[in-house]
Amino acid sequence: MEKWMVYYEIHRLRSEGFKNSSIAKKLKISRNRVIEYGRMSPDEFQKFILSLQQRGKKLDPYKDQILEWLKEHPDLSGAQVLDWLQEKLDVDSVSEGTVRNFVNGLRERHCIPKMSTERNYAVVPELPMGKQIQVDFGETRQLTTEGQYKRLYFIAFVLARSRYKYVEWLDRPFRTSDLIRMHENAFNYYGGITDEIAYDQDRLLAVSENAGDLILTADFTNYYQKRKFKIYLCRKADPESKGKIEQVVKYVKYNFAKNRTFANLLDWQESSMKWLKRTGNYKVHHNTKKRPTEVYTLEKEHLRQVSGAYIFEDIYVSSITRQIHKDNVIRFEGNRYSVPVGTYRKDAPNIAYVEKNHEYICIRLQQNGHVLAKHQIANGKGNIISDPSHRKRNQTKRDKLIQQVEDLLQDPHAAKWLVEQLAVRYPRHLIDQLKIVQLVGQQYPEFLDIAVQELKRLKLTSANDLRDIAFSLALHSKKNNSKATSIVNEKYKNLIAPERKEDIYLQVLRGGDSK
């Protein structure tokens, strides 16, 4: 009778438009059972009821024990019951589905609903503009261009009101010094700082929450006191207080990083910044229904301005940060110092670390990275200190071909003359001309230098002429060699061809005898 009541209730609720999951919650039965009963006609269900009464079940011998467990622990799942059967009764001949169905039947017959603890969520009111930044960490495992996997780490920032995001990456775990540096980069990116910053519990900045009295690491304590912002440390399992940044971390993992190949950290960070501009901060937010970049233009006016250089120098005693400018220089103590061309990258943080001793400054892209540039400290102000090697552009395809052609010729003066003549005569087709010279050097290496001298003597300036001259020299050399190496057969060397008079040929033509 109970099963018939459930059956009719399922069909009634379905006719009223309820979905399977909603019916399962109302009747406190499984969704699979709702689907199964919903597919049956009354006649089919009658046959199903009769079959249940006539057949036994594998777990009938353990019915009393399972029922005792369910009464004592109403929140037991079918998977846990199966595990207990295997552990305590050595039952290993049944599947999890069989156990689940048996447990559901017992719950219905004995009115033991499964107790589930549901958490209540409440909508958090929007914070005022300029009130809070939320910060959290994440990590991903990326396939590299070498075909191996590498773990990457990132820190994410989000303005709580506008949802405007900033992300920075490392290829190693974070240190407190990294955390401070990336805060500076974020403040520079946002153009200011909020009143408070919300963090998840993390060993990089907090040693203990101490019942509400934060005990912070010494480095971060020094930093936040100088920056003068409030810290809001979120409790565990508290999505209301840090839900915005958790969504950002997921967004970075599954929209930006997923299925992307890692080559190097600089390119990866540059791609991340482009993604923020193109998608992360441009796409309409699903809750606010606005683009973060548009709301940010309003929130930016409410951010508190900061003086990055002075505070940052206070924090790092031996390592100072400076901005890398578009012309690939940094400004330090009133002078400009060069870094290699290409160091500055659009949409990248472009932060350099400067270490100073009595005579020199060393410039690095990472605090403990390799030295990018080393300069002697200049006297006075307004000077440009440039390393000539920093201005060298990367070797192009044209430069490589010129070098290869020069290496083919033994005479460096002839090589220089040839390249100069081709560059003057064929400025737009120099690469094509050099390729022909390179081919001549591969086909006729022993005649290339002679061919260049002959080209110069004839006042010709084309690689095609050089090729023809080299070919002619090789052909002539081959003929001379064949004449010099021809062999006379000893058997016929003493034979002398007979000489005949002209009268003989006349007689033959007249039809006479030639004898």
Side-chain angles (χ1 to χ4, degrees):
M1 182 59 67
E2 290 179 1
K3 291 187 182 295
W4 274 107
M5 290 177 64
V6 172
Y7 173 80
Y8 284 121
E9 196 65 18
I10 289 172
H11 281 269
R12 184 183 68 81
L13 292 172
R14 271 193 165 191
S15 66
E16 293 178 3
F18 284 91
K19 294 184 178 179
N20 293 331
S21 56
S22 300
I23 296 172
K25 288 181 180 179
K26 279 182 174 293
L27 301 181
K28 296 181 179 179
I29 59 176
S30 69
R31 182 174 174 272
N32 289 340
R33 191 176 176 191
V34 173
I35 296 172
E36 183 181 359
Y37 283 13
R39 290 173 178 171
M40 295 182 186
S41 67
D43 292 338
E44 290 172 337
F45 191 71
Q46 177 67 31
K47 293 178 181 179
F48 172 70
I49 294 296
L50 292 174
S51 68
L52 291 178
Q53 294 174 355
Q54 295 171 359
R55 69 180 184 184
K57 293 183 172 61
K58 280 187 177 182
L59 293 174
D60 281 342
Y62 312 101
K63 173 183 173 182
D64 293 338
Q65 180 62 68
I66 296 174
L67 191 58
E68 183 181 340
W69 290 341
L70 290 175
K71 289 178 179 179
E72 185 179 357
H73 308 285
D75 60 340
L76 269 180
S77 66
Q80 286 177 295
V81 171
L82 174 61
D83 183 65
W84 285 15
L85 286 170
Q86 293 172 340
E87 178 184 355
K88 299 177 181 181
L89 303 178
D90 294 326
V91 178
D92 55 4
S93 59
V94 292
S95 66
E96 185 176 336
T98 301
V99 175
R100 188 188 310 112
N101 293 332
F102 188 80
V103 169
N104 290 337
L106 288 179
R107 287 186 184 279
E108 291 177 19
R109 286 194 295 274
H110 297 274
C111 298
I112 308 175
K114 185 175 181 180
M115 305 298 294
S116 59
T117 57
E118 294 186 1
R119 178 169 181 171
N120 294 322
Y121 294 91
V123 176
V124 179
E126 288 289 352
L127 294 171
M129 288 193 174
K131 174 65 177 177
Q132 186 185 83
I133 292 175
Q134 294 187 7
V135 183
D136 204 358
F137 298 89
E139 59 182 74
T140 64
R141 188 167 175 265
Q142 302 298 142
L143 181 67
T144 66
T145 52
E146 287 79 21
Q148 300 176 343
Y149 283 92
K150 184 176 183 63
R151 193 165 294 279
L152 300 179
Y153 306 83
F154 67 91
I155 184 172
F157 300 77
V158 63
L159 286 170
R161 182 58 181 270
S162 63
R163 276 47 167 203
Y164 199 68
K165 309 162 194 68
Y166 175 74
V167 181
E168 194 159 343
W169 294 80
L170 275 182
D171 54 2
R172 57 169 175 76
F174 284 90
R175 295 188 284 264
T176 304
S177 58
D178 300 317
L179 180 65
I180 296 172
R181 172 173 60 85
M182 291 177 180
H183 273 67
E184 291 300 303
N185 294 343
F187 299 153
N188 181 61
Y189 181 77
Y190 287 135
I193 187 173
T194 54
D195 295 334
E196 70 177 20
I197 301 180
Y199 301 92
D200 201 357
Q201 293 175 336
D202 194 275
R203 62 180 176 80
L204 293 175
L205 57 93
V207 177
S208 171
E209 197 170 358
N210 194 28
D213 294 328
L214 298 181
I215 301 176
L216 301 175
T217 60
D219 289 340
F220 200 78
T221 299
N222 182 47
Y223 175 67
Y224 101 91
Q225 288 176 350
K226 289 181 181 295
R227 274 301 190 201
K228 298 179 181 178
F229 59 81
K230 296 177 184 177
I231 290 181
Y232 183 92
L233 201 62
C234 302
R235 288 176 172 271
K236 292 181 179 179
D238 186 15
E240 283 90 348
S241 60
K242 57 181 177 13
K244 297 180 182 68
I245 190 61
E246 288 183 346
Q247 291 300 318
V248 171
V249 170
K250 290 180 183 178
Y251 198 28
V252 172
K253 284 183 177 181
Y254 299 111
N255 190 288
F256 169 71
K258 188 177 180 181
N259 298 324
R260 190 180 292 268
T261 303
F262 176 82
N264 59 72
L265 192 60
L266 284 176
D267 290 341
W268 186 267
Q269 181 64 39
E270 184 177 355
S271 298
S272 176
M273 299 301 290
K274 290 179 179 178
W275 172 81
L276 284 174
K277 184 177 180 180
R278 178 182 65 250
T279 302
N281 288 325
Y282 184 77
K283 190 176 179 180
V284 175
H285 194 272
H286 66 283
N287 283 340
T288 65
K289 307 303 179 186
K290 298 176 182 177
R291 300 187 195 277
T293 186
E294 294 174 355
V295 185
Y296 164 70
T297 58
L298 300 175
E299 187 168 15
K300 185 177 180 180
E301 302 300 323
H302 297 267
L303 300 178
R304 175 165 51 88
Q305 298 298 313
V306 292
S307 175
Y310 174 78
I311 298 293
F312 217 45
E313 288 181 18
D314 255 359
I315 293 169
Y316 296 107
V317 177
S318 60
S319 183
I320 307 163
T321 61
R322 285 292 183 269
Q323 188 78 21
I324 302 171
H325 295 274
K326 288 183 179 180
D327 51 352
N328 291 285
V329 297
I330 65 151
R331 298 179 184 274
F332 184 76
E333 294 184 350
N335 295 308
R336 288 180 288 171
Y337 295 85
S338 70
V339 294
V341 170
T343 302
Y344 173 86
R345 295 194 177 200
K346 189 178 179 181
D347 296 326
N350 293 308
I351 299 295
Y353 288 91
V354 181
E355 290 187 9
K356 175 186 174 183
N357 58 27
H358 296 296
E359 297 183 25
Y360 295 93
I361 63 167
C362 293
I363 305 171
R364 295 179 170 90
L365 286 180
Q366 295 184 359
Q367 192 172 5
N368 299 314
H370 72 279
V371 176
L372 190 68
K374 183 177 180 181
H375 295 284
Q376 190 168 7
I377 297 174
N379 297 322
K381 306 287 184 181
N383 300 311
I384 300 177
I385 298 86
S386 179
D387 187 336
S389 64
H390 294 169
R391 302 297 145 208
K392 288 183 179 178
R393 59 186 175 90
N394 294 332
Q395 195 176 30
T396 62
K397 184 177 182 180
R398 174 177 172 274
D399 298 329
K400 290 179 181 178
L401 274 173
I402 290 173
Q403 185 63 48
Q404 291 169 0
V405 167
E406 290 177 347
D407 292 341
L408 288 173
L409 288 158
Q410 297 179 359
D411 186 352
H413 298 291
K416 186 177 180 181
W417 173 85
L418 177 62
V419 172
E420 288 177 352
Q421 292 298 315
L422 294 177
V424 172
R425 177 81 182 275
Y426 305 98
R428 293 180 56 194
H429 300 89
L430 179 59
I431 290 179
D432 297 325
Q433 290 284 312
L434 291 172
K435 285 182 177 180
I436 295 173
V437 176
Q438 192 179 36
L439 187 63
V440 172
Q442 294 170 356
Q443 293 178 340
Y444 313 108
E446 65 271 25
F447 302 107
L448 182 60
D449 282 271
I450 302 173
V452 171
Q453 295 297 335
E454 192 66 14
L455 189 77
K456 189 174 182 180
R457 186 183 68 81
L458 297 173
K459 297 181 180 181
L460 301 174
T461 55
S462 170
N464 292 312
D465 293 332
L466 179 71
R467 180 189 56 200
D468 294 341
I469 293 172
F471 174 76
S472 177
L473 290 171
L475 186 63
H476 185 70
S477 175
K478 186 177 181 180
K479 288 181 178 179
N480 290 338
N481 289 338
S482 62
K483 287 182 180 179
T485 57
S486 59
I487 300 172
V488 178
N489 194 321
E490 294 292 332
K491 182 178 178 181
Y492 303 107
K493 69 177 183 178
N494 294 324
L495 292 178
I496 300 173
E499 293 183 4
R500 295 177 178 177
K501 295 181 179 181
E502 296 177 357
D503 296 342
I504 295 174
Y505 295 100
L506 292 173
Q507 291 177 6
V508 171
L509 293 172
R510 291 172 185 167
D513 190 358
S514 60
K515 293 182 179 180

